[in-house]
């Protein structure tokens, strides 16, 4: 039978248990399947406490459940408590790496960073950015949103071990062209990727298409929910608006 030993965080395979070093502690999991950790590519930290919330249409769901829940993350203590539960649940379900959305509050991302570092987990995370068409209690000043994003990116790059920051604009209707242009000009693709959301939905948001001037819709089945400057960032995304100066994903 094959025997597996974890030495210095690496799995080594042995056919003879007697060949293992004497100090290696042996555990047997005869009825278990050992697999690599799972990777979650889209999950929201602030929605930890509202899992299973009633399935309204998207805008109603956001306004009734999601946005009020996210407001609580302006409190760093609350964000830290939820981050601990959130990461514990990820690990309990076999997820060891994730791309995580915070709230608009830097406190939410800092709390997640700190807990992930304590657990030595690899995460990619960012604060969401909304500077229009959002509840007053979540609406950001454009310049402050960009500055907060830059500060988090710098902290992540210079002070953290396994956590990587990702710029996270939220929806086209909730981000101005000034914010998207500023983000495209400030982020560096080699150190700070960006995380647009494209969502298949029947939602019709007033002004969604008109919010992007002189644009060309390539795939009308998808609503574009973030953007970037040309050739600054790239992802295999299924929905693109394009202007002469900018590409909107």
């Amino acid at each position: 039978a094959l025997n597996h030993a974890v030495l210095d965080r690496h799995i080594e395979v042995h056919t003879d248990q007697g060949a293992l070093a004497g100090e290696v502690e042996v555990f047997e999991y005869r009825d278990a399947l050992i697999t690599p950790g799972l990777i979650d590519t889209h999950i929201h930290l602030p929605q930890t406490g509202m899992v299973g919330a009633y399935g309204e249409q998207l805008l109603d769901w956001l306004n009734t459940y999601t946005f009020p829940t996210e407001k609580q993350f302006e409190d760093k203590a609350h964000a830290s408590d939820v981050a601990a539960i959130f990461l514990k649940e990820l690990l309990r379900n076999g997820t060891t790496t994730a791309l995580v959305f915070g709230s608009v509050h830097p406190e939410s991302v800092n709390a997640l960073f700190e807990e992930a570092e304590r657990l030595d987990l690899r995460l990619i995370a960012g604060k969401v950015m909304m500077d229009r068409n959002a509840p007053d209690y979540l609406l950001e000043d454009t310049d402050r949103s960009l500055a907060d994003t830059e500060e988090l990116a710098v902290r992540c790059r210079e002070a953290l071990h396994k956590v990587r920051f990702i710029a996270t604009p939220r929806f086209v209707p909730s981000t101005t062209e000034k914010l998207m242009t500023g983000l495209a000009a400030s982020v560096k693709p080699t150190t700070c990727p960006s995380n647009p959301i494209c969502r298949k939905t029947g939602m019709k948001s007033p002004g969604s298409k008109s919010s992007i001037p002189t644009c060309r819709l390539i795939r009308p089945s998808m609503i574009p929910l973030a953007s970037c400057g040309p050739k600054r960032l790239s992802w295999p995304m299924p929905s693109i608006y394009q202007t002469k100066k900018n590409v909107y994903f």
Side-chain angles (χ1 to χ4, degrees):
L2 294 177
N3 293 283
H4 298 74
V6 180
L7 302 173
D8 192 26
R9 301 176 66 91
H10 295 280
I11 295 177
E12 294 187 1
V13 179
H14 298 266
T15 57
D16 179 10
Q17 184 170 314
L20 296 173
E23 67 274 13
V24 174
E25 186 175 4
V26 177
F27 298 86
E28 292 192 10
Y29 298 97
R30 294 182 180 274
D31 298 320
L33 179 65
I34 299 176
T35 69
L38 303 177
I39 300 172
D40 193 323
T41 60
H42 182 125
I43 189 167
H44 292 255
L45 167 67
Q47 294 176 19
T48 303
M50 52 170 285
V51 172
Y54 182 71
E56 301 274 6
Q57 291 296 312
L58 179 58
L59 288 179
D60 293 334
W61 181 77
L62 289 169
N63 288 320
T64 304
Y65 302 108
T66 308
F67 290 152
T69 300
E70 289 187 12
K71 182 181 186 301
Q72 301 174 54
F73 284 77
E74 64 187 352
D75 178 0
K76 176 69 179 300
H78 174 79
S80 296
D81 289 343
V82 176
I85 296 170
F86 172 79
L87 293 177
K88 180 180 178 180
E89 285 300 297
L90 285 186
L91 289 172
R92 189 173 69 86
N93 287 279
T95 301
T96 56
T97 302
L99 192 158
V100 185
F101 291 72
S103 68
V104 297
H105 313 100
E107 293 84 357
S108 68
V109 183
N110 279 320
L112 182 65
F113 283 170
E114 291 161 10
E115 184 64 14
E117 285 284 294
R118 186 183 74 81
L119 294 172
D120 199 26
L121 288 180
R122 185 175 299 282
L123 290 181
I124 304 174
K127 65 171 290 302
V128 298
M129 307 172 76
M130 298 192 294
D131 65 341
R132 66 170 176 177
N133 294 333
D136 290 343
Y137 54 81
L138 292 179
L139 196 64
E140 297 182 285
D141 172 76
T142 304
D143 293 333
R144 183 70 260 166
S145 181
L146 291 168
D148 286 343
T149 294
E150 179 65 20
E151 288 173 13
L152 287 165
V154 169
R155 182 196 175 196
C156 189
R157 185 167 62 245
E158 295 181 353
L160 301 180
H161 176 50
K162 285 191 172 181
V163 179
R164 189 177 183 191
F165 182 79
I166 187 165
T168 312
R170 192 150 193 173
F171 309 118
V172 160
S174 61
T175 52
T176 62
E177 188 163 351
K178 177 183 177 182
L179 186 145
M180 300 312 304
T181 302
L183 183 61
S186 64
V187 298
K188 298 175 176 61
T190 56
T191 57
C192 182
S194 184
N195 182 32
I197 310 171
C198 288
R199 186 188 305 277
K200 287 186 176 179
T201 176
M203 177 188 76
K204 292 183 179 179
S205 178
S208 294
K209 185 174 179 180
S210 62
S211 67
I212 307 173
T214 62
C215 61
R216 175 167 58 90
L217 177 61
I218 294 180
R219 285 192 57 183
S221 63
M222 303 287 287
I223 294 179
L225 300 177
S227 67
C228 70
K231 298 182 181 179
R232 292 300 301 265
L233 304 170
S234 62
W235 315 269
M237 298 305 293
S239 178
I240 303 173
Y241 281 110
Q242 186 171 9
T243 69
K244 291 181 180 178
K245 294 184 178 180
N246 294 289
V247 180
Y248 293 83
F249 294 84

